[in-house]
């Protein structure tokens, strides 16, 4: 083969690649359509899997996996008996790391301690029918579970417990600069700049059209353009197999006189951020130092058709409210940037951490990234719940993460091996699990368990988690202290927990001052929204309170500091310049869009241990939460088995209403939606969200909102 033949073959290979990607996208659409048709057929009372399967080109097992209600009668337990298998089905186990012989004896506190006087009283529960126990949410046997990493044995693992040299969170010694900002509705062309409202002609709402129109109207310059409505980056979505492709094409379309920003200043952010819903376009004028961002208001809150004037007023109220607690507060481009900047301005100037909070080693940060999930998102489907729901009731924990910031891990982390943990007294063990820790554990579900799962386990897919609940199931995972303590002291039956390894920190309050100020800001803005007589100002105050929620929520997420993905574009004529480790995520006739991991940056504000502790506490509170003032409990474990339909980050969906107290405080369960049945049980996230929206509309609210 000569050079010309080689080049020709490469060109042909690229054509095949492009054809394959388009074919896969079309195949995915067809498979989704097929599955939806199967679900509709299953609604027929006499539908049978053995008839649907050949029509769909699937096996009977595949059809039953899609619609469990179609399982043949011979595979279903009798309705008046509870199946007692000799060997309970267990999920496929991830590869187990080598453990010391003492690991088998490293059993966490006994059932006796779990049933102490501090344990909540058992809820009044009626045993569910057998079909609600038959499938407890374990993945299909043929699916391969992820293997979670472990800490290496001996000296190799010990090196992980040293902080990153020369890297710590410190209080800034500069004043953050505000950016000139406008608010633009691309659907109507309404632009709000300070106290002025303009009407723009923005053509097809390309990035070039927007920049041209905005700078023609405001010649003195703008540094940030918030899109309040219109989603212009979705205008050509039908032309692309994936929404991200459409967004990338919109961001990277050539703009005469402008190029992609290369970043500047202390809050250096270079390049576009490709996101399906809330992208960020960063541009720099050719031959000059003028920089501008185009951002989505969806980063801050749902606008629900609000006029740009109301949104501008919301940002003014937000800035004024923050200034009461931070005299140098500046609203930055995103809630996460704003949250972390405000937090750095609460770092103490005296005391133990006046020199800053050290950053963990890259190895421990990587371990937390792989083993500490965020919110619990789980849909419980038939036969674990009835095919027809009597009701669907949504409870949402108000400003939930703010409830769990009072204690966070600080200081040098310690490794607690299975041998060390087993040698401690029961009191020392319980104190450690009450403290700030992250633990590798082996979990066994009690043989009599008949409720939802309590602890996350790795499931197929990148960073996917499920919550095993089948009696007798054993699995290995990582979890935080709040969840482990809940599993040991839950109001039903203690779970068996074996400590295999762990990381333990001192208890501290690095986020307490920051969170208290944000909670006070949220309380004040919420009160303004409630008592404000002017409807426009009331709405603006409400949106501002939602923005405070986002500052705390995404600020906590920013501490997790995920490994970064760098996105770039290369002309098709220069394809050989694409980095070797890059993944192609989009293309058109001129450009190829790619992304590649860049690992962990030397971010002085990277504290995944803080995010992990808060997320663990929030997941535990979805299961059980004590209300001291009311001497009562709330959460999924205080409902009858078979009544939990779904978990969604900080929301709980049930088939029965609950009399849980609500005092407008962070963490309280607020009734957000209520639909009366009978209703078909949702079998997909899309169906759940449709029912959720209908339930919220149907509920007569009192002006409260999470």
């Amino acid at each position: 083969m000569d050079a010309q033949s080689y080049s020709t073959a490469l060109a042909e290979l690229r054509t095949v690649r492009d054809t394959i990607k388009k074919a896969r996208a079309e195949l995915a659409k067809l498979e989704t359509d097929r599955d939806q048709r199967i679900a509709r057929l299953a609604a027929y009372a006499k539908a049978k899997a053995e008839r649907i399967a050949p029509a769909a080109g699937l096996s009977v097992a595949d059809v039953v996996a899609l619609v469990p209600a179609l399982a043949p009668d011979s595979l279903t337990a009798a309705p008046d008996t509870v199946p007692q298998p000799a060997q309970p089905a267990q999920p496929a186990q991830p590869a187990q790391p080598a453990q010391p012989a003492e690991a088998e004896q490293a059993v966490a506190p006994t059932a006796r301690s779990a049933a102490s006087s501090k344990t909540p009283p058992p809820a009044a529960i009626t045993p569910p029918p057998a079909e609600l126990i038959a499938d407890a949410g374990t993945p299909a046997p043929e699916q391969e579970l992820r293997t979670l990493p472990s800490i290496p044995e001996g000296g190799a693992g010990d090196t992980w417990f040293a902080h990153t040299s020369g890297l710590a969170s410190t209080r800034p010694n500069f004043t953050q600069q505000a950016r000139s900002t406008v608010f633009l509705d691309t659907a109507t062309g309404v632009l709000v700049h300070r106290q002025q409202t303009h009407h723009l002609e923005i053509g097809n709402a390309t990035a070039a059209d927007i920049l041209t129109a905005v700078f023609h109207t405001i010649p003195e310059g703008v540094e940030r353009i918030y899109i309040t409505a219109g989603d212009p980056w979705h205008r050509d979505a039908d032309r692309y197999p994936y929404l991200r492709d459409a967004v990338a094409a919109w961001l990277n379309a050539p703009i005469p006189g402008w190029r992609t920003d290369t970043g500047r200043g202390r809050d250096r952010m270079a390049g576009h951020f490709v996101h399906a819903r809330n992208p960020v376009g960063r541009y720099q004028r050719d031959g000059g130092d003028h920089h501008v961002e185009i951002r989505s208001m969806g980063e801050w809150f749902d606008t629900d058709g609000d006029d740009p004037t109301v949104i501008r007023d919301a940002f003014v109220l937000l800035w004024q409210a923050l200034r009461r607690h931070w005299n140098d507060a500046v609203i930055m481009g995103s809630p996460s940037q704003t949250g972390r900047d405000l937090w750095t301005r609460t770092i103490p100037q005296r005391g133990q951490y006046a020199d800053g909070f050290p950053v963990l080693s890259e190895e421990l940060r990587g371990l937390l990234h792989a083993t500490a999930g965020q919110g619990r998102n789980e849909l419980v489907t038939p036969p674990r719940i009835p095919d027809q729901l009597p009701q669907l009731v949504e409870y949402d924990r108000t400003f939930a993460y703010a409830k769990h910031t009072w204690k966070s891990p600080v200081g040098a982390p310690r490794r607690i091996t299975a041998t060390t943990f087993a040698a401690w007294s029961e009191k020392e063990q319980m104190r450690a699990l009450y403290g700030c820790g992250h633990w590798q554990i082996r979990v066994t579900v009690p043989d009599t368990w008949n409720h939802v799962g309590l602890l996350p386990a790795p499931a197929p897919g990148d960073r996917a988690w499920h919550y095993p609940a089948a009696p007798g199931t054993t699995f290995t995972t990582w979890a935080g202290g709040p969840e482990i303590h809940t599993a040991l002291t839950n109001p039903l039956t203690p779970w068996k927990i074996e400590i295999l390894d762990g990381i333990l920190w001192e208890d501290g309050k690095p986020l307490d001052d920051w969170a208290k100020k944000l909670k006070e800001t949220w309380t004040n803005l919420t009160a303004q929204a409630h008592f404000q007589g002017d409807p426009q100002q009331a709405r603006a105050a409400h949106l501002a309170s939602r923005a405070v929620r986002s500052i705390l929520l995404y600020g906590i997420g920013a501490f997790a500091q995920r490994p970064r993905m760098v996105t770039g574009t290369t002309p098709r004529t220069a394809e050989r310049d694409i980095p070797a480790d890059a993944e192609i995520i989009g293309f058109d006739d001129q450009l190829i869009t790619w992304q590649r991991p860049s690992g962990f940056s030397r971010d002085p504000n990277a504290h995944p241990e803080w995010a992990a502790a808060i997320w663990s506490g929030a997941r535990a509170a979805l299961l059980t939460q004590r209300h001291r003032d009311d001497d009562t409990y709330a959460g999924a474990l205080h409902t009858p088995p078979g009544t939990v339909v779904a978990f969604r980050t900080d929301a709980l969906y049930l088939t029965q209403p609950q009399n849980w107290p609500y005092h407008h405080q962070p963490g309280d369960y607020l009734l957000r939606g209520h639909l009366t049945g009978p209703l078909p049980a949702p079998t997909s996230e899309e169906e759940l969200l449709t029912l959720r929206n209908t339930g919220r509309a149907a509920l007569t609210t009192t002006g409260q909102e999470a």
Side-chain angles (χ1 to χ4, degrees), residues 209-457:
D209 292 336
I210 290 172
L211 292 178
T212 300
V214 169
F215 282 91
H216 175 75
T217 305
I218 308 172
E220 64 268 27
V222 168
E223 296 177 276
R224 185 175 295 137
I225 302 170
Y226 279 121
I227 305 300
T228 65
D231 295 339
W233 36 79
H234 294 163
R235 291 290 176 91
D236 294 326
D238 292 341
R239 295 175 49 195
Y240 296 88
Y242 303 105
L243 201 55
R244 279 175 56 91
D245 292 348
V247 172
W250 189 90
L251 292 171
N252 291 297
I255 304 176
W258 295 86
R259 57 185 172 86
T260 302
D261 197 349
T262 55
R264 83 287 186 201
R266 297 178 186 271
D267 57 339
R268 183 183 181 89
M269 295 292 287
H272 304 314
F273 175 60
V274 181
H275 186 278
R277 302 293 176 186
N278 298 312
V280 181
R282 300 184 177 98
Y283 304 95
Q284 181 177 354
R285 195 183 291 276
D286 287 339
D289 60 355
H290 192 96
H291 306 257
V292 63
E293 290 182 332
I294 299 178
R295 308 190 72 110
S296 168
M297 188 52 62
E299 293 181 90
W300 290 89
F301 43 67
D302 294 330
T303 59
D304 196 24
D306 290 295
D307 186 271
T309 303
V310 174
I311 296 172
R312 185 273 320 276
D313 290 347
F315 269 69
V316 171
L317 289 174
L318 173 64
W319 177 78
Q320 291 172 341
L322 292 174
R323 280 279 173 143
R324 295 188 182 99
H325 298 285
W326 288 274
N327 58 13
D328 55 353
V330 170
I331 299 177
M332 302 179 69
S334 70
S336 61
Q337 291 173 325
T338 306
R340 287 216 299 184
D341 180 69
L342 293 175
W343 172 75
T344 61
R345 298 171 194 280
T346 65
I347 295 176
Q349 295 175 293
R350 297 182 180 84
Q352 182 179 1
Y353 295 102
D355 294 331
F357 292 94
V359 173
L360 296 177
S361 68
E362 185 170 327
E363 291 81 4
L364 277 190
R365 281 182 278 153
L367 179 74
L368 287 165
H369 164 66
T371 62
Q374 191 173 350
R376 178 170 181 169
N377 288 285
E378 179 185 19
L379 178 63
V380 183
T381 58
R384 295 174 62 195
I385 60 174
D387 291 317
Q388 295 291 316
L389 307 182
Q391 303 174 74
L392 183 65
V393 189
E394 178 191 7
Y395 288 95
D396 198 0
R397 295 186 66 229
T398 297
F399 205 12
Y401 287 178
K403 176 79 172 179
H404 307 286
T405 55
W406 64 276
K407 182 178 73 171
S408 301
V410 295
R414 291 188 295 150
R415 182 177 188 176
I416 309 299
T417 64
T419 305
T420 300
F421 191 86
W424 284 349
S425 68
E426 183 178 310
K427 183 177 180 180
E428 290 173 317
Q429 291 178 348
M430 189 58 75
R431 185 186 302 120
L433 294 179
Y434 262 121
C436 294
H438 191 59
W439 304 91
Q440 186 180 33
I441 53 177
R442 183 178 296 120
V443 184
T444 301
V445 182
D447 291 336
T448 58
W449 190 254
N450 63 355
H451 218 296
V452 297
L454 304 186
L455 291 163

Side-chain angles (χ1 to χ4, degrees), residues 560-580:
Q561 199 239 348
R562 306 299 187 194
R564 300 192 177 202
M565 296 294 292
V566 175
T567 303
T569 57
T570 301
R572 298 196 70 146
T573 55
E575 186 167 338
R576 67 181 60 189
D577 295 334
I578 296 176

Side-chain angles (χ1 to χ4, degrees), residues 66-96:
L66 285 169
V67 187
L70 291 176
D73 293 340
S74 59
L75 299 181
T76 304
D80 57 348
T81 62
V82 176
Q84 298 291 335
Q87 294 180 340
Q90 297 183 6
Q93 294 298 305
Q96 296 289 333

Side-chain angles (χ1 to χ4, degrees), residues 624-706:
T624 179
Q625 173 177 283
R626 185 183 179 191
H627 292 261
R628 289 183 175 84
D629 293 342
D630 301 277
D631 192 25
T632 189
Y633 293 84
L637 293 181
H638 302 279
T639 66
T643 62
V644 177
V645 177
F647 298 88
R648 189 170 171 80
T649 307
D650 51 11
L652 189 59
Y653 297 82
L654 308 170
T655 63
Q656 297 178 3
Q658 304 295 318
N659 188 27
W660 292 336
Y662 184 76
H663 302 299
H664 303 268
Q665 295 300 310
D668 285 358
Y669 280 90
L670 170 67
L671 178 62
R672 289 290 306 279
H674 191 175
L675 271 181
T676 56
L679 305 163
T683 58
S684 67
E685 182 183 34
E686 182 181 4
E687 291 178 4
L688 174 67
L689 295 180
T690 299
L691 291 174
R692 179 200 68 178
N693 295 339
T694 305
R696 289 182 178 181
L699 179 69
T700 302
T701 65
T702 59
Q704 302 166 321
E705 190 168 352

